[in-house]
Structure formats: structure tokens, C-alpha cells
């Protein structure tokens, strides 16, 4: 993936003067970093050979405001710097707006969604996959119905990996985001019991 495929150049810009994307400095985006650490636990549990995802910053090229907040865009990226999808930070900040969402559940959902998009598009595989139905899952608030849509305001549960179910439409919350390892261990344990193995 080329960084420049994501940047529209105006008539007075050329590629030679655009700042290069870089890995986020530790502590620069604490809420996003904390959420990515949780999502990386799920990545390690389900794709053990995959290195952890990183936060990648594409600088805006504009001077930082007096607050020192970088106006660049932050993406969830592969360790080699490739990414796919939308930024996870607020890019068009009004005066006094925080660059990261305030609500930890919103941050975790946004980061999980971005991680899923990057993994799915760049590794060409569904991730994460429901152990029961064998289909890809999506982050959404716990306890939501199959007809839920992202702009609903009454869904306030913690983010989970949600499965749309098989052909029977048996949708369900598979695991809280960050706890797929426990869900996988529980499934393996129940399969051993069903098969009469210890």
C-alpha cells in the first residue's frame, strides 16, 4: 500500500514535500494505545503468528497548534506500516475538541473496527472468525439485535465481537473485545467434553 494513495494533492503540493507517515510515539495517543493493546490480545489469540498492530500517524503537514496536538490522522496499521480504512482519531477538530474520543467503550469499538478492516483487507481473510459458525464477526455493543445499526443511541453495552449466526440466523455475542482467548479456551474445553476427551 502506498501512503500517497490516501492523500489528495492540490495544485500547489507535490509528493516530495509531504511528511512521511510514522509510528505513533508511545504516550502520544494514550486512549488509542490502550484500546489497541486490548485488540492485539485478540489478534494474538486468533492469529498467533501475526505481529501486533501499531498506530501509524500520517502528519497533516500543517504546523501544530499552540496546544501541541498533532492534526495528523491516526490509523491502525500492520507492523510494516500498511493500513486500510478510516482514521481512529478526530481529524477536523474544533477549538477545544479532544483528539481522542472521551468514552473508553467508543475508543475500543473504533479501534477494533479499524483493526478488523486492516487485517481483513491486507491479509485477505475474515478476522476474527466465530468458532461456532465459522464466519467473520464485527465489533458492536453487547446485547444488540441483528437489526441494530451503528447510529442507534440506546445501545450502551461494552463492545463485543458479534456474530451474525449461520443460516439459522442465530446471531450472538461471541466474546467481549479483548477476551477472545478465553472464549476459544471455553469452546475447546466444551468440544473435548462433548467428544469424551479430558
Amino acid at each position: 500500500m502506498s501512503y500517497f494513495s490516501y492523500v489528495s494533492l492540490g495544485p500547489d503540493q507535490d509528493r516530495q514535500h509531504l511528511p512521511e507517515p510514522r509510528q505513533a510515539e508511545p504516550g502520544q495517543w494514550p486512549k488509542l494505545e490502550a484500546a489497541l493493546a486490548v485488540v492485539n490480545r485478540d489478534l494474538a489469540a486468533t492469529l498467533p503468528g501475526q505481529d501486533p498492530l501499531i498506530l501509524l500517524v500520517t502528519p497533516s503537514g500543517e504546523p501544530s497548534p499552540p496546544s501541541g496536538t498533532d492534526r495528523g490522522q491516526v490509523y491502525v496499521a500492520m507492523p510494516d506500516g500498511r493500513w486500510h480504512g478510516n482514521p481512529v482519531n478526530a481529524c477536523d477538530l474544533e477549538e477545544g475538541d479532544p483528539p481522542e474520543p472521551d468514552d473508553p467503550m467508543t475508543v475500543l469499538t473504533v479501534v477494533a473496527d479499524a483493526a478488523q478492516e486492516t487485517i481483513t483487507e491486507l491479509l485477505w481473510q475474515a478476522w476474527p472468525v466465530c468458532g461456532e459458525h465459522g464466519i467473520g464477526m464485527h465489533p458492536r455493543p453487547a446485547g444488540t439485535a441483528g437489526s441494530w445499526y451503528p447510529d442507534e443511541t440506546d445501545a450502551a453495552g461494552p463492545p463485543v465481537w458479534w456474530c451474525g449466526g449461520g443460516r439459522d440466523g442465530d446471531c450472538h455475542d461471541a466474546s467481549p473485545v479483548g477476551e477472545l482467548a478465553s472464549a476459544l479456551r471455553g469452546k475447546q474445553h466444551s468440544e473435548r467434553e462433548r467428544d469424551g476427551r479430558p
Side-chain angles (χ1 to χ4, degrees):
M1 293 254 136
S2 167
Y3 163 63
F4 298 111
S5 65
Y6 295 91
V7 177
S8 62
L9 297 174
D12 296 331
Q13 294 177 313
D14 80 40
R15 295 173 192 231
Q16 297 168 357
H17 295 98
L18 290 175
E20 288 292 318
R22 67 186 184 318
Q23 187 169 350
E25 296 291 327
Q28 183 180 12
W29 301 95
K31 294 174 187 174
L32 296 173
E33 290 171 20
L36 186 57
V38 170
V39 173
N40 272 329
R41 289 196 313 248
D42 287 344
L43 185 64
T46 55
L47 297 176
Q50 178 62 47
D51 289 333
L53 299 170
I54 64 169
L55 294 177
L56 187 81
V57 179
T58 60
S60 67
E62 299 173 12
S64 292
S67 67
T69 302
D70 188 348
R71 300 267 184 180
Q73 296 177 323
V74 181
Y75 296 90
V76 174
M78 302 295 282
D80 63 6
R82 295 176 302 140
W83 81 90
H84 190 277
N86 296 322
V88 293
N89 65 320
C91 300
D92 296 325
L93 298 174
E94 298 292 327
E95 190 65 35
D97 284 348
E100 299 175 286
D102 287 328
D103 174 41
M105 298 303 162
T106 299
V107 176
L108 185 54
T109 301
V110 168
V111 169
D113 191 49
Q116 178 187 39
E117 189 162 0
T118 290
I119 291 291
T120 300
E121 292 297 326
L122 298 181
L123 296 183
W124 289 37
Q125 67 181 60
W127 180 84
V129 174
C130 175
E132 183 178 340
H133 294 105
I135 62 173
M137 300 185 289
H138 299 280
R140 58 161 61 180
T144 55
S147 61
W148 176 84
Y149 61 95
D151 292 333
E152 283 186 25
T153 56
D154 59 346
V160 297
W161 291 112
W162 181 86
C163 171
R167 291 188 173 161
D168 58 4
D170 186 22
C171 59
H172 62 101
D173 296 349
S175 166
V177 172
E179 297 181 24
L180 274 173
S182 297
L184 293 173
R185 279 194 299 272
K187 177 160 179 47
Q188 291 167 349
H189 182 68
S190 65
E191 285 175 353
R192 283 193 303 266
E193 286 176 346
R194 185 185 68 225
D195 295 342
R197 294 177 284 159

